[in-house]
Amino acid sequence: MDRGFCSLERIAELQEKEESYYVMRCKNNMALEMLDNGKYKIGSGKKKVEGRVVVFSDLKERTEFRLVTNLPEEGEGGVSNEEIGEFYR
């Protein structure tokens, strides 16, 4: 999903669905705070959700992409940051 679908409410809704995975581009103005566990708090004030954030750049277009996903990074079925970037492209 692209930035037009991204909201804290939408992320929280998708995280609650079992066996449902997503990759969504964050809006540029969404605050990100890295946590000790490698995940991020997304949002500001009282409205925040925790999630995995993948950041990559398109050097040709000179654009940075920030993606939020609930795909696992490790274990069986783990998906690397590079693979998530490819999914989005």
Side-chain angles (χ1 to χ4, degrees):
M1 290 181 253
D2 210 353
R3 290 184 293 186
F5 291 96
C6 191
S7 69
L8 297 176
E9 293 82 12
R10 180 74 172 145
I11 294 169
E13 175 186 315
L14 290 170
Q15 287 178 344
E16 290 177 7
K17 292 184 177 183
E18 290 187 30
E19 297 188 32
S20 178
Y21 297 101
Y22 64 90
V23 174
M24 182 184 324
R25 186 170 175 194
C26 293
K27 295 179 181 178
N28 292 341
N29 64 351
M30 282 189 150
L32 299 176
E33 175 188 344
M34 188 170 192
L35 302 172
D36 291 336
N37 64 6
K39 292 189 177 185
Y40 286 80
K41 281 285 186 182
I42 305 162
S44 59
K46 292 183 180 182
K47 290 187 174 183
K48 292 182 183 180
V49 295
E50 186 176 319
R52 178 179 175 195
V53 176
V54 176
V55 179
F56 69 94
S57 297
D58 182 336
L59 298 177
K60 186 176 180 181
E61 299 293 324
R62 296 183 181 193
T63 303
E64 180 182 84
F65 295 90
R66 300 183 319 167
L67 307 175
V68 61
T69 184
N70 65 342
L71 289 167
E73 186 171 5
E74 299 175 347
E76 188 176 330
V79 182
S80 71
N81 291 346
E82 292 79 16
E83 289 173 309
I84 289 174
E86 287 299 317
F87 291 162
Y88 185 77
R89 284 180 235 207

